[in-house]
Amino acid sequence: MMSSLDDTSECRAEVLAIDIGGTKIATALVAADGSIRRRQVIVTAAHTSADDLAARLLDVVSGYDLAAIAGIGVGTAGPIDYRRGVVSPVNIPAWRDFPLRRCIEHSTGLPVRLAGDAVCGAVAERAIGAAQASEWAIFMVLSTGVGGGYIADGKVLAGRLGNAGLVGHMVVHPGGERCACGQLGCLEVYASGPSLVRRARAIGWVGDHPAELLAACRAGDALAAQVVETAADAVALAIAQAAASLEIELAVLGGGVMRSHDVMLPAVRNAVARRMRDGVVSPVNVVGAHHSDDACLIGAGLIVHRPDLLTLSSRNNAAEL
Ligand SMILES: [Zn+2]
């Protein structure tokens, strides 16, 4: 008989956390305080089959001492059917309506909880990161893409299908540049790492990496500064919209682009101040994330340790329905 996850008792044993990305899968043991150990990362092929990908995942999972693990938490791109435990991650074409929860539960005998990857990141920042003291916040990841999660009344919004806070596809410039999703003017077109480089090269900057671009901005390069300014303003627009819709007080920014936070944070703060100076919406504090690279992995563990931080009830997302 599979043990069940009880959302009222504090879970002291370690949890196996799994962060499933489009090109790699990270696993680690996560303690209740969010500390991680025994991290492993495997690279996954883009065109592998559903069963092969699952077999690779289960092979890594079986390497852990499952008898000492309280449960398993999984962060993955949406959409996720929480009730059925079925996933169709937008970045993994091989998995469409894939019964991920049942697959891992049958293999391990352990209860499994799922959540959106950026939702997991928001849980990590809420539990042990920059949003610990804030009950109304937005978490944004500026990386290869742009994702995020909302914290409302102290809890992270799990979303109907795991995609609440998909801020990368919030339109910040109607009629603007076309996004990979088909819309015009999405935030991701202006503020993801690859977008920063593409936009800078289009106006004559020479370089290949977002970090180079941000370093150039720091050094006073006018072209780089122009692109960073546009990105910061796009992020500020998304923050202002979150403030208008959810009355957030805090924006937590993470992801690779924010590694150069000495460049991006002041730029976003200035843009937020410009965008929100009318005073109708309460001011929003903008800070860097505490767990830039590991937020999703830590959060995947914490959705098992701290289900109270997620709006999803355990009944809708646990082994025994
Ligand atoms: Zn888009």
Side-chain angles (χ1 to χ4, degrees), residues 1-3 18 54 57-59 61-62 66 72 74 84-85 98-114 318-320:
M1 182 69 188
M2 189 182 293
S3 63
I18 305 172
L57 169 61
L58 294 176
D59 188 45
V61 167
S62 67
L66 297 177
I72 297 177
V74 183
R84 292 162 55 227
F98 185 76
L100 182 60
R101 191 169 62 210
R102 193 177 68 216
C103 167
I104 302 174
E105 284 177 349
H106 279 194
S107 169
T108 62
L110 288 164
V112 174
R113 234 173 237 158
L114 309 173
E320 297 174 339

Side-chain angles (χ1 to χ4, degrees), residues 169 179 181 183 186:
H169 301 288
C179 177
C181 77
Q183 289 192 117
C186 289

Side-chain angles (χ1 to χ4, degrees), residues 64 73 82 95 115 120 123 129-130 135 143 145 153 173 208 211 215 237 239 241 271 293 296 300:
Y64 288 88
Y82 283 118
W95 281 354
C120 289
V123 168
E135 299 196 321
S143 183
D153 206 10
H173 291 300
D208 298 310
L237 263 166
I239 291 171
Q241 289 175 39
D293 295 330
C296 178

Side-chain angles (χ1 to χ4, degrees), residues 8-271:
T8 59
S9 67
E10 190 180 350
C11 192
R12 293 192 182 279
E14 286 175 309
V15 164
L16 177 60
I18 305 172
D19 174 10
I20 298 176
T23 57
K24 61 188 181 182
I25 295 174
T27 56
L29 296 173
V30 177
D33 65 1
S35 59
I36 65 176
R37 67 186 186 94
R38 291 211 54 206
R39 181 210 309 259
Q40 290 185 66
V41 178
I42 58 166
V43 175
T44 53
H47 299 294
T48 190
S49 73
D51 289 343
D52 285 349
L53 186 57
R56 289 209 65 196
L57 169 61
L58 294 176
D59 188 45
V60 176
V61 167
S62 67
Y64 288 88
D65 179 9
L66 297 177
I69 291 171
I72 297 177
V74 183
T76 173
I80 300 167
D81 182 330
Y82 283 118
R83 179 158 282 282
R84 292 162 55 227
V86 168
V87 303
S88 307
V90 66
N91 54 357
I92 304 178
W95 281 354
R96 289 293 172 264
D97 284 328
F98 185 76
L100 182 60
R101 191 169 62 210
R102 193 177 68 216
C103 167
I104 302 174
E105 284 177 349
H106 279 194
S107 169
T108 62
L110 288 164
V112 174
R113 234 173 237 158
L114 309 173
D117 45 10
V119 167
C120 289
V123 168
E125 291 296 329
R126 173 71 181 120
I128 56 167
Q132 282 178 78
S134 180
E135 299 196 321
W136 297 88
I138 186 171
F139 167 66
M140 294 172 67
V141 183
L142 310 180
S143 183
T144 309
V146 174
Y150 291 115
I151 297 162
D153 206 10
K155 295 191 176 206
V156 177
L157 298 180
R160 188 172 58 86
L161 298 170
N163 279 333
L166 195 65
V167 292
H169 301 288
M170 191 184 269
V171 173
V172 292
H173 291 300
E177 285 187 36
R178 188 170 296 280
C179 177
C181 77
Q183 289 192 117
L184 299 179
C186 289
L187 173 60
E188 192 164 292
V189 172
Y190 301 94
S192 73
S195 293
L196 288 173
V197 171
R198 180 180 48 75
R199 291 176 59 76
R201 288 172 66 100
I203 57 171
W205 178 75
V206 179
D208 298 310
H209 196 275
E212 280 177 69
L213 179 75
L214 291 159
C217 181
R218 186 186 294 116
D221 183 300
L223 296 177
Q226 182 183 331
V227 170
V228 167
E229 185 70 22
T230 304
D233 190 58
V235 172
L237 263 166
I239 291 171
Q241 289 175 39
S245 52
L246 277 179
E247 214 176 4
I248 57 163
E249 60 187 353
L250 178 72
V252 178
L253 307 184
V257 171
M258 294 307 299
R259 264 185 223 123
S260 303
H261 57 83
D262 62 311
V263 175
M264 283 301 292
L265 265 185
V268 174
R269 282 174 179 151
N270 288 339

